[in-house]
Amino acid sequence: MRDVYHEELDSLADRLVEMTRLVRSAMSRAVTALLDADLRLAEEVITADEQVNKIDAEIEETVFDLMARQQPVAGDLRTLVTTLRMSSDLERMGDLAVHIAKTARRRHPETAVPPELQSTVLEMGQIAERMIAKAGSVIASRDVEMGLELDADDDAMDRLHRRLFDLLLSPKWKHGVEPAVDITLAGRYFERFADHAVHVAENVVYLVTGQRPQEIIDAG
């Protein structure tokens, strides 16, 4: 029975990794939809989010079932609690990709991103993809060092977010209020996406070491 129990615990990590792959695909397609005014891709992202939500619900059900049946303690309990947190973060990341896709859909057939902002938004999308891919690797490998790297990626996203605002507030901005609102919201979606990726990695670090990343950094 204990072997089955630990197989169920291991399967939770596999499901989390699957969620990272789905969320990465969603973000990739959402950014393309946003930049290219691609309505078909935007609709695909919105529809596909149901699968992310489904896995999140399945993980929650499994965790509560294992808690009820096995009454886990110590490391196993930590695994279940951090799994719930990571699943929640990944579900929200999927929602953020959907918000970006909905921005693209709302502005179709026009693009929501003016030409002078396209390269910045593209770079933000690339960082978002890199961070979710790295989060998936951290979950699968439990690599603490890689988990700690996501803070640096988040700093890069924050710098681009500030650049976006600098461009929006520039006297050269000639695109009016609605595009400014779209870009402001999109920038916030990217920033929150990165924050959730960091949270996922932090939970893996805590799962492996029993310490929060800041505690490890301060000790070093």
Side-chain angles (χ1 to χ4, degrees), residues 35-159:
L35 294 174
D36 296 349
D38 190 322
L39 182 60
R40 179 187 61 81
L41 268 184
E43 295 288 5
E44 284 182 7
V45 173
I46 294 163
T47 301
D49 190 52
E50 183 179 331
Q51 182 62 20
V52 176
N53 295 339
K54 181 172 179 284
I55 297 173
D56 178 50
E58 290 170 352
I59 287 174
E60 182 177 292
E61 183 179 350
T62 300
V63 167
F64 288 147
D65 178 63
L66 289 173
M67 284 182 170
R69 286 192 293 108
Q70 302 291 342
Q71 299 181 333
V73 296
D76 288 350
L77 181 59
R78 194 159 70 209
T79 296
L80 293 175
V81 171
T82 55
T83 294
L84 280 179
R85 290 174 179 166
M86 289 187 280
S87 181
S88 177
D89 277 314
L90 292 167
E91 189 274 332
R92 289 172 188 165
M93 292 169 83
D95 289 344
L96 291 164
V98 167
H99 291 332
I100 292 170
K102 285 182 175 178
T103 300
R105 183 175 69 177
R106 187 167 60 249
R107 292 292 166 232
H108 185 268
E110 303 298 323
T111 178
V113 184
E116 63 266 36
L117 297 183
Q118 292 241 341
S119 63
T120 300
V121 170
L122 176 61
E123 192 173 352
M124 292 177 87
Q126 290 170 339
I127 290 175
E129 278 193 68
R130 184 164 71 241
M131 290 184 75
I132 186 60
K134 195 174 287 187
S137 295
V138 170
I139 292 169
S141 66
R142 297 193 174 191
D143 186 328
V144 170
E145 291 301 319
M146 188 186 297
L148 296 173
E149 290 173 9
L150 269 84
D151 262 338
D153 294 321
D154 188 42
D155 289 343
M157 183 70 87
D158 289 341
R159 284 193 295 272

